Amino acid sequence: DLQINSSLMQPSDNTVSWRSDPTSSFSDWTLEVVGIEKGAKKSYTLYHTHSNVIAWGPRRGGFFVHLFQERMNQKPPSKKSRIQVLPSEAALFPLML
């Protein structure tokens, strides 16, 4: 017999975000943003994103659309991207997401 957990069916105030728990929010893409300066890795941050939000929804960005199209054409399709930028640019990523 199929049993349904009624707590999963309750409405939620949670907004889909890279800040959400990746498992419970069904994150489908991981972005690893690496801050590189003079060839040395300074820092990295993982963002568990939702491709339909950042590449399709009202907040979509052309950068992400292109990135996802490129990755989806790979065999097998990739669900993770690593982006290397200057540390000052890496600090701006949360604002873009």
Side-chain angles (χ1 to χ4, degrees):
D1 290 339
L2 177 65
Q3 295 183 2
I4 299 174
N5 182 344
S6 62
S7 66
L8 296 175
M9 309 236 352
Q10 299 299 316
S12 171
D13 312 0
N14 297 337
T15 302
V16 175
S17 167
W18 61 268
R19 293 178 182 94
S20 304
D21 175 81
T23 302
S24 61
S25 69
F26 302 102
S27 168
D28 64 346
W29 205 284
T30 301
L31 292 171
E32 180 180 7
V33 178
V34 181
I36 302 276
E37 192 166 6
K38 297 182 182 171
K41 180 164 72 168
K42 294 290 185 181
S43 64
Y44 78 93
T45 305
L46 293 178
Y47 297 96
H48 300 285
T49 65
H50 302 84
S51 57
N52 64 328
V53 173
I54 61 177
W56 180 257
R59 296 187 60 199
R60 70 182 169 267
F63 172 81
F64 294 112
V65 171
H66 176 75
L67 178 69
F68 294 154
Q69 287 173 339
E70 184 179 275
R71 297 292 179 166
M72 293 305 289
N73 289 331
Q74 293 179 352
K75 301 293 182 208
S78 174
K79 293 292 185 176
K80 183 175 182 177
S81 299
R82 173 181 278 178
I83 302 166
Q84 297 181 348
V85 295
L86 294 172
S88 58
E89 296 167 337
L92 297 175
F93 252 81
L95 300 175
M96 294 189 328
L97 298 174

